[in-house]
Amino acid sequence: MGLRLGLWFGWEGVVLRSNGGDFAHYIQAAQAFARDGDFSDRIFLLRPPLFPLVVYALDVNQDALLLLNSVLGALMVPLGVVMARQFGLGERLALLAGLVGALDLGAITYSAFLGPEPSANLLLLAMMVLLLAALRAERRGWLWGVAAGLCLVLSVYSRPASYLIWIPLGAWALLSTPRAWRAVLSFALLGALGAGAWIVHNGRTFDFYTMTSTSSYTLLYYRAASLERLASGDDMDTVYVRLGQRVEVRLGRDPNTVTREVLYTSLTPTAAEADAMQAEAWAIIRANPHYYLATLPLGLYRIYNSTEHYGGGVRWADRAWNALFVLGTALGLWAAWQHRNFALFWCVLLVGAYFTLGTLAVKTSASDTRMRSMLTPWMAVACVYGYAWLFERWQHWRAARKSVLLPA
């Protein structure tokens, strides 16, 4: 908590308040709710309702929001310790995992932050803890499953990226613990119904059945635009104009309406416009598969080894930390497989793969550790598990070498 408050009050506070311009959307959504009393404004096609409601409840008070987010981010640390214990780590290693999660600069940065990540990430972690509890419950595990599903729905309504995660986690839970099928069904059903309810709302209100309209925008103007720039060598403004004009042609409209001054970059498109944007994006991807594949490692690097806003020694310390963090996570997965700790292995792997592949599918640019901030507790547990396993192996090697060197 102290680290987050220090970041808030420190020299980075002004930068973190900006949230890259995204916070303006939440202000707009909060004001729309205050005006209309519902979610009929088109901004809710872009941003789901939970965080705008928080912004509304706090009267768009940035200091109050930063304090709340700092508290929510800090709460992930003790909850991460609980998850570590559920994965079979001893008390000391679990506390160490909590400490690693508390010191991760990516998690700290995107807690003292004007965005939905702290609430969404905390609720996602609570979902995991409750789902694991549901699988271990001797009686009424379905109640734990309902609680896990409810946390997932609230996380999705804060930040929609996790709206399909109930599918891989539900499949793993059912295969690993068939006797807990009621708990798994409760979790999956509530997760599906919760996300489905917002999709239906968007369909009936905006005639666009989607969780959020950001996916088509991001796919075209981040992922495909970067490929177009590499293929053509043109500057980004020229690329954006070209893409906008192609979208207009697909829609049967006048492409000359798109100029450098008036770019077509709709964040809240109609269903037809979103279809045209996605069609254009996939056409570019199919035309440039070599660039698509070549940029994947760069996107992966940005997600796992680069936190924006920092320079100088802090940047290099952050990159060194991230490299050790990722290496430790990989070691932890290997060690978990070797020790047949399949709950740890599959939960870390499935959650990590879900968010990583989902991000890489729609963008490799404009990414940093914000894209993996939700994974910090899972990575911290795996990291500590991995380095503990490595230390244990080193001790065994030392003992074996010493026994060879000593005379019989």
Side-chain angles (χ1 to χ4, degrees):
M1 181 66 185
L3 293 171
R4 287 161 174 81
L5 292 178
L7 183 66
W8 171 23
F9 286 112
W11 63 274
E12 290 294 344
V14 175
V15 177
L16 296 179
R17 285 174 185 270
S18 70
N19 185 11
D22 288 353
F23 188 56
H25 300 151
Y26 296 107
I27 295 176
Q28 182 182 343
Q31 292 171 341
F33 180 79
R35 182 188 65 242
D36 304 329
D38 57 26
F39 308 117
S40 59
D41 191 280
R42 204 163 182 83
I43 190 64
F44 288 105
L45 185 61
L46 176 66
R47 304 296 181 190
L50 186 56
F51 190 63
L53 288 177
V54 174
V55 176
Y56 165 76
L58 294 178
D59 198 26
V60 200
N61 186 316
Q62 294 189 18
D63 287 330
L65 284 165
L66 285 169
L67 179 59
L68 174 63
N69 276 353
S70 296
V71 171
L72 295 177
L75 287 175
M76 292 185 69
V77 175
L79 199 57
V81 173
V82 174
M83 185 175 69
R85 294 288 284 163
Q86 289 177 313
F87 283 139
L89 275 69
E91 184 177 350
R92 290 184 178 180
L93 286 183
L95 289 172
L96 184 57
L99 178 62
V100 170
L103 295 176
D104 178 51
L105 186 58
I108 295 170
T109 299
Y110 294 110
S111 295
F113 177 70
L114 288 175
E117 279 78 3
S119 56
N121 296 350
L122 179 64
L123 288 163
L124 188 70
L125 178 56
M127 173 216 71
M128 188 79 260
V129 169
L130 290 167
L131 179 59
L132 291 171
L135 298 182
R136 289 172 169 78
E138 295 296 331
R139 298 179 58 193
R140 297 184 178 179
W142 66 271
L143 288 175
W144 292 101
V146 167
L150 181 60
C151 284
L152 175 58
V153 172
L154 291 174
S155 178
V156 168
Y157 278 32
S158 186
R159 185 171 181 265
S162 57
Y163 83 104
L164 292 176
I165 201 169
W166 59 270
I167 297 175
L169 285 180
W172 162 78
L174 190 60
L175 290 172
S176 66
T177 318
R179 64 169 182 77
W181 66 269
R182 292 181 181 85
V184 178
L185 182 61
S186 300
F187 160 71
L189 190 60
L190 192 53
L193 289 175
W198 187 250
I199 292 172
V200 170
H201 164 270
N202 286 340
R204 291 184 173 180
T205 307
F206 309 115
D207 197 26
F208 189 1
Y209 287 87
T210 183
M211 190 69 211
T212 173
S213 61
T214 191
S215 57
S216 55
Y217 170 87
T218 306
L219 181 63
L220 179 61
Y221 289 106
Y222 283 83
R223 193 70 177 100
S226 67
L227 304 182
E228 180 79 5
R229 186 190 67 81
L230 289 171
S232 67
D234 293 331
D235 63 88
M236 289 308 301
D237 279 348
T238 301
V239 168
Y240 289 144
V241 170
R242 185 185 302 138
L243 296 186
Q245 290 175 339
R246 289 176 183 170
V247 169
E248 291 295 273
V249 170
R250 287 179 180 274
L251 292 166
R253 301 193 303 219
D254 181 8
N256 294 320
T257 59
V258 180
T259 65
R260 286 177 182 265
E261 290 72 33
V262 186
L263 294 176
Y264 179 87
T265 56
S266 177
L267 283 165
T268 55
T270 64
E273 289 169 343
D275 288 343
M277 292 164 73
Q278 290 189 30
E280 181 60 33
W282 286 114
I284 294 170
I285 291 170
R286 286 193 298 270
N288 300 281
H290 51 302
Y291 285 128
Y292 183 86
L293 295 174
T295 52
L296 290 176
L298 178 60
L300 200 62
Y301 171 81
R302 287 170 170 163
I303 293 170
Y304 284 99
N305 199 254
S306 176
T307 304
E308 291 185 357
H309 311 300
Y310 300 106
V314 176
R315 171 178 292 180
W316 289 109
D318 174 57
R319 289 178 176 176
W321 168 275
N322 286 326
L324 292 172
F325 199 28
V326 172
L327 176 61
T329 301
L331 284 171
L333 287 172
W334 175 254
W337 183 264
Q338 294 294 308
H339 292 165
R340 303 182 68 80
N341 188 341
F342 295 129
L344 173 59
F345 177 84
W346 284 112
C347 286
V348 174
L349 184 66
L350 289 174
V351 174
Y354 174 88
F355 286 105
T356 302
L357 296 177
T359 300
L360 292 176
V362 296
K363 67 175 183 176
T364 54
S365 57
S367 295
D368 77 335
T369 54
R370 179 184 178 186
M371 303 301 118
R372 64 94 173 142
S373 62
M374 74 293 290
L375 301 178
T376 294
W378 283 267
M379 293 178 66
V381 173
C383 182
V384 167
Y385 195 86
Y387 283 123
W389 172 79
L390 192 63
F391 180 71
E392 183 182 78
R393 297 278 294 181
W394 177 73
Q395 284 187 315
H396 288 165
W397 176 82
R398 276 190 69 191
R401 188 169 181 272
K402 188 177 293 185
S403 65
V404 169
L405 295 175
L406 288 175

